[in-house]
Amino acid sequence: MSENKEETLASFQNITGIDDVGEAFSHLEAVNWNLMDALSRVMPHEDPSLASAIHQSQPALAENTNGFRPPGYDELPGTSSGGFFASERQNLNIPQRFPTSQLLAQLTSSINLDPVASQNNNQNNQELVLFNIHFNQQICQIRLPPQATIEQLKRCIFEKTRVPVCRQAIQGWPPSKASEAQQPSSRLGNLDLAQENELSLVDLTDDGYMDTEQDEVTQRADKTFSIHIQFESGSPLELSLPGNTTMLQLKMHVDDIKSIPVRHQEWTGWPRGCDNDTTLARSGIDLTHSFGVRNLAPTIASHSNSNQQQNNSYDIVNVDSESSTDEFEDATDFNFTDSPPAQPLNIHLIPNNTDDEMSGSSQFVENYVARYGEPCPYFFVGSLESALQMACYKPAKERKLLAIYLHHGKSILTNVFCDQLMKNETIIQTFMEKFVLFGWDLTFESNKDMFLSSLTACISSNASLMARNIGLDKLPAIMLVGKSRELGSSCGVLSVIPGNIDLDELLTRLIGTCERFEEQLQGEIRQDDERAARDQVKAEQDMAYEATLQADRAKDAAKRQREAAQAAERKRLESERAEEDARRESIRLIAQQSLPQEPAEQTTGTAKIRVRKPSGEFLERRFLKSNNLQDLLNFVTANGFLIEEYKLLSWPRRDLTAMESGQTLEALKLYPQETVFLEER
């Protein structure tokens, strides 16, 4: 097999005039050593007769399938410098330019052309998918058929940019297929791609994400790498080396075996960013990899400029001293060396060492809108505790979920997630209706520690641990926090949505979590309603009881008032009665004191008067016939019958009280004896 490859390589260089072994080797390796495919990658087709012959085995390639622009028709690279296969070209009688007849003879003599295959290839070429790969402010074009896989696309990107497959992060896939596009075996035809697609390439090493690849590097260091080294003269070299072998050690092996000093070795095939200390495991090359080495000892001066121009697609490593690492320098990188450095796609939404959550939240919202523009979700501005109070510590009917958006400026998922998923109107509306959305940037450790401490204080240590364990490859992420009786009437994390999902899955998980949460709340809402109904009945009963109690109290108050009035009236009457009695007694005493002395029974001129009381009893007293009517009235008064209340009558009926009180008893014919009557007025 190695002999066949050598023959194919020699034929390829003879026909194309590419003297650089590494470049020729790479073209053949890319098409699995198919000579016709390799020729189609680099040969110009302006000559109609030549184009017709080439098209019989390969589709028209005015711009070939991977976007490579071939060198000009009039002058082939390497022809002016002679090249290491110049003598072989002369032996084959192929001049420096491409005469159509001789080249067709060479091609048709060694290649069996199949018209049926040509027709199929022409049809496939029309179905090719075009990718514009944006990298380092440059654009390279790649065309691939729909049946090609993601892994094949990444290998083509490696050929163009020299960014190893393991360090490639591709952005710009359709949101619904973003997850499927992460699988190396996924076919391009299944990703809902357009005929022309704009993708962005991020070199994980350049953006400082190699920490996330450390496990892979460690595993690769324990594996054995099969290294194939092609030289411009002599047989190739096959080496089996451990993954921890450095670039300098590999060069020293070549020095030991081929006697080419390290300072005279010019290498092609290394990925960008490698230096003497880079190991095979960390460089990103496959376990089986091919390099080209050229001995610069005889032609350093004459070939250095032309080699740099011919090998724009590779890193050429030149060593100008002995095998000292300090004196080793890389040649120019892939043709982005002269371009200004690309600006970072992400900015930090919260500055480092933010003083408090309030200012951090405010800066987050301000920078988010400035970075990603409108439309964007409405973020709560304030502390995490305030957001939690607004969302979770309300009655069940008013309660919402708290969505905590965790941002990270160094995640390769951030731009796609914010520009495509978070701008979706349905997502924005869902956040508005169902959630209180709180955002925080975890890029800086100081801000991350502040957030985790707040998360522990406001929710739980488990929530903080969950947030801490979200890997960079899953950020940004959304933590959904809720409060229900199933969580013990406390807040807890219901779900964590990673950033490596598409729009449909994000919406499904948001709505699904809401539905489960609302279902849990239904029981709590029913209990709240039942409790409210019981409280209403109890309140009504309490109101009725209070009304009755007030009525009873009013009745009691009225009764007491009435009794007090009656008591006062009785007291008044008693007082009046007492006064009246005192007055009567005074009148009686005066009348009694005014009575003349009662004469003896045998006294001459004695009148005996009997007074009949209303009760029928009699009062009897003796008076002198000379005593007047007033003395009789005083007698009656002294016995408690006031003249103002009673009348004193005689028979025939005379009202003695109405008569002149100064008249004598004799004159009134009350002598010698008489019975008179008392009658109430």
Side-chain angles (χ1 to χ4, degrees):
M1 180 64 182
S2 61
E3 294 178 359
N4 292 337
K5 286 187 176 181
E6 291 181 11
E7 293 175 0
T8 302
L9 177 63
S11 299
F12 179 76
Q13 288 188 298
N14 278 313
I15 295 172
T16 62
I18 297 178
D19 292 339
D20 187 280
V21 178
E23 181 181 356
F25 190 88
S26 298
H27 286 304
L28 289 168
E29 186 73 18
V31 294
N32 199 20
W33 291 86
N34 186 307
L35 178 58
M36 286 305 303
D37 290 348
L39 291 174
S40 297
R41 290 166 58 89
V42 299
M43 293 293 290
H45 306 133
E46 286 81 353
D47 189 311
S49 58
L50 177 61
S52 175
I54 296 295
H55 288 177
Q56 292 179 8
S57 62
Q58 191 72 7
L61 296 173
E63 282 188 30
N64 59 20
T65 57
N66 63 3
F68 177 82
R69 289 191 178 274
Y73 171 81
D74 291 331
E75 187 67 37
L76 291 177
T79 57
S80 61
S81 61
F84 128 80
F85 278 115
S87 58
E88 284 77 355
R89 290 174 53 81
Q90 295 174 359
N91 293 334
L92 291 172
N93 295 321
I94 300 179
Q96 296 299 327
R97 297 174 61 85
F98 279 107
T100 303
S101 58
Q102 293 187 23
L103 182 56
L104 285 176
Q106 291 288 339
L107 291 173
T108 55
S109 64
S110 58
I111 301 172
N112 183 21
L113 302 178
D114 186 355
V116 177
S118 174
Q119 181 179 358
N120 293 336
N121 287 333
N122 285 329
Q123 181 177 1
N124 291 336
N125 187 52
Q126 296 175 359
E127 300 176 356
L128 294 178
V129 180
L130 173 61
F131 296 94
N132 294 323
I133 308 298
H134 296 253
F135 179 63
N136 259 6
Q137 298 185 348
Q138 299 287 336
I139 299 177
C140 62
Q141 293 184 335
I142 295 176
R143 286 186 175 87
L144 290 174
Q147 61 267 27
T149 63
I150 295 294
E151 182 178 7
Q152 291 171 336
L153 173 62
K154 289 189 174 183
R155 290 188 179 277
C156 291
I157 293 175
F158 169 70
E159 294 175 18
K160 286 301 192 178
T161 64
R162 312 312 294 173
V163 176
V165 172
C166 66
R167 297 208 307 255
Q168 294 179 19
I170 304 176
Q171 303 173 354
W173 298 109
S176 60
K177 298 295 183 179
S179 178
E180 186 176 350
Q182 306 303 319
Q183 304 299 324
S185 60
S186 297
R187 296 192 178 275
L188 302 179
N190 298 332
L191 301 181
D192 298 340
L193 297 172
Q195 194 67 29
E196 183 173 351
N197 303 273
E198 304 292 332
L199 299 178
S200 298
L201 173 65
V202 177
D203 186 344
L204 298 181
T205 302
D206 291 343
D207 282 358
Y209 301 133
M210 281 302 292
D211 290 344
T212 62
E213 306 294 323
Q214 191 61 40
D215 293 339
E216 179 181 351
V217 172
T218 303
Q219 294 175 2
R220 285 163 54 85
D222 298 330
K223 296 181 180 180
T224 300
F225 285 71
S226 297
I227 304 301
H228 176 87
I229 304 175
Q230 183 71 38
F231 300 89
E232 63 178 2
S233 62
S235 61
L237 178 62
E238 301 284 347
L239 295 175
S240 295
L241 300 173
N244 57 5
T245 301
T246 64
M247 185 175 179
L248 179 60
Q249 291 172 337
L250 175 58
K251 293 175 181 178
M252 294 177 67
H253 283 299
V254 174
D255 185 9
D256 293 338
I257 298 172
K258 291 291 188 177
S259 300
I260 302 176
V262 173
R263 66 179 180 276
H264 293 161
Q265 297 176 17
E266 181 185 82
W267 288 72
T268 57
W270 283 103
R272 297 174 67 252
C274 296
D275 57 25
N276 265 356
D277 296 327
T278 302
T279 63
L280 299 178
R282 186 172 291 277
S283 67
I285 64 174
D286 294 334
L287 294 180
T288 300
H289 192 75
S290 299
F291 293 102
V293 176
R294 186 174 183 180
N295 186 359
L296 297 179
T299 57
I300 291 178
S302 62
H303 288 54
S304 60
N305 293 331
S306 61
N307 285 337
Q308 285 184 355
Q309 296 175 0
Q310 295 172 17
N311 292 285
N312 286 338
S313 299
Y314 306 95
D315 285 344
I316 301 176
V317 181
N318 296 312
V319 180
D320 298 327
S321 65
E322 298 295 337
S323 57
S324 170
T325 303
D326 295 334
E327 297 178 7
F328 175 82
E329 295 181 355
D330 290 343
T332 57
D333 287 339
F334 174 67
N335 53 0
F336 308 131
T337 306
D338 298 333
S339 303
Q343 297 299 318
L345 295 178
N346 300 294
I347 62 172
H348 305 305
L349 302 186
I350 301 180
N352 196 13
N353 296 317
T354 299
D355 295 333
D356 55 75
E357 287 186 35
M358 180 64 73
S359 62
S361 175
S362 177
Q363 290 174 316
F364 175 90
V365 175
E366 180 180 350
N367 291 332
Y368 186 96
V369 175
R371 172 64 182 86
Y372 300 106
E374 298 288 351
C376 67
Y378 173 76
F379 286 96
F380 176 84
V381 178
S383 65
L384 177 62
E385 182 180 6
S386 300
L388 198 62
Q389 290 288 340
M390 176 172 287
C392 300
Y393 290 96
K394 285 193 172 184
K397 289 184 177 180
E398 303 176 17
R399 198 174 303 163
K400 291 185 178 182
L401 288 172
L402 174 63
I404 305 176
Y405 169 71
L406 301 178
H407 185 90
H408 202 295
K410 294 183 178 180
S411 173
I412 62 175
L413 303 174
T414 298
N415 284 332
V416 174
F417 193 87
C418 294
D419 283 332
Q420 299 183 16
L421 275 65
M422 296 293 277
K423 285 182 176 291
N424 181 268
E425 291 295 339
T426 305
I427 296 294
I428 294 175
Q429 190 67 23
T430 301
F431 278 130
M432 180 71 69
E433 294 177 357
K434 304 290 186 181
F435 298 87
V436 172
L437 182 60
F438 178 83
W440 196 259
D441 187 357
L442 304 180
T443 305
F444 291 114
E445 285 297 324
S446 60
N447 298 334
K448 180 178 180 180
D449 292 341
M450 177 190 295
F451 171 75
L452 294 177
S453 299
S454 180
L455 201 62
T456 301
C458 296
I459 301 178
S460 66
S461 57
N462 289 335
S464 177
L465 183 61
M466 292 174 67
R468 185 183 297 275
N469 289 336
I470 300 175
L472 183 61
D473 58 337
K474 299 295 180 63
L475 290 172
I478 300 176
M479 296 182 67
L480 303 182
V481 178
K483 176 180 177 291
S484 66
R485 286 196 174 95
E486 293 191 6
L487 297 173
S489 296
S490 60
C491 292
V493 178
L494 304 181
S495 178
V496 177
I497 303 177
N500 57 346
I501 61 175
D502 57 24
L503 175 61
D504 292 338
E505 186 174 356
L506 173 60
L507 187 59
T508 299
R509 295 187 64 170
L510 287 175
I511 295 177
T513 303
C514 287
E515 290 176 349
R516 291 192 298 272
F517 178 70
E518 290 172 356
E519 183 178 351
Q520 294 175 5
L521 286 183
Q522 288 305 314
E524 189 172 345
I525 292 174
R526 285 194 297 271
Q527 293 177 5
D528 289 347
D529 291 341
E530 293 172 357
R531 182 173 59 253
R534 290 194 300 269
D535 292 344
Q536 180 66 23
V537 172
K538 184 177 182 299
E540 292 175 355
Q541 292 175 344
D542 290 344
M543 290 177 62
Y545 171 77
E546 185 67 22
T548 302
L549 183 61
Q550 292 296 335
D552 292 343
R553 289 175 178 173
K555 289 180 181 179
D556 291 343
K559 182 179 179 180
R560 288 193 299 271
Q561 185 176 5
R562 191 166 54 251
E563 290 176 350
Q566 292 173 354
E569 182 65 17
R570 284 194 301 269
K571 186 175 181 181
R572 184 186 66 78
L573 294 176
E574 290 174 358
S575 177
E576 291 178 356
R577 189 178 299 114
E579 291 178 358
E580 181 65 17
D581 290 344
R583 185 184 68 83
R584 288 169 63 87
E585 181 65 17
S586 175
I587 295 174
R588 190 189 68 81
L589 289 176
I590 293 173
Q592 186 177 5
Q593 292 174 0
S594 300
L595 284 176
Q597 186 176 3
E598 184 180 7
E601 187 176 356
Q602 291 82 16
T603 302
T604 303
T606 301
K608 186 176 180 181
I609 303 297
R610 295 184 68 191
V611 180
R612 184 180 178 181
K613 297 188 292 187
S615 62
E617 296 177 348
F618 288 91
L619 295 175
E620 186 176 329
R621 192 180 189 279
R622 293 181 297 275
F623 293 91
L624 294 175
K625 63 179 182 178
S626 59
N627 291 141
N628 55 27
L629 179 58
Q630 185 61 48
D631 292 333
L632 176 61
L633 294 177
N634 288 339
F635 170 72
V636 173
T637 300
N639 283 277
F641 298 96
L642 275 65
I643 298 305
E644 62 187 24
E645 297 175 357
Y646 293 90
K647 293 188 291 185
L648 186 63
L649 305 174
S650 63
W651 189 264
R653 185 179 180 85
R654 289 184 304 172
D655 184 2
L656 298 177
T657 55
M659 300 180 72
E660 178 63 34
S661 61
Q663 299 182 47
T664 61
L665 298 178
E666 182 180 10
L668 294 174
K669 297 180 181 182
L670 298 178
Y671 176 79
Q673 66 179 12
E674 187 65 41
T675 300
V676 294
F677 307 92
L678 286 173
E679 184 181 273
E680 290 187 8
R681 291 182 181 274

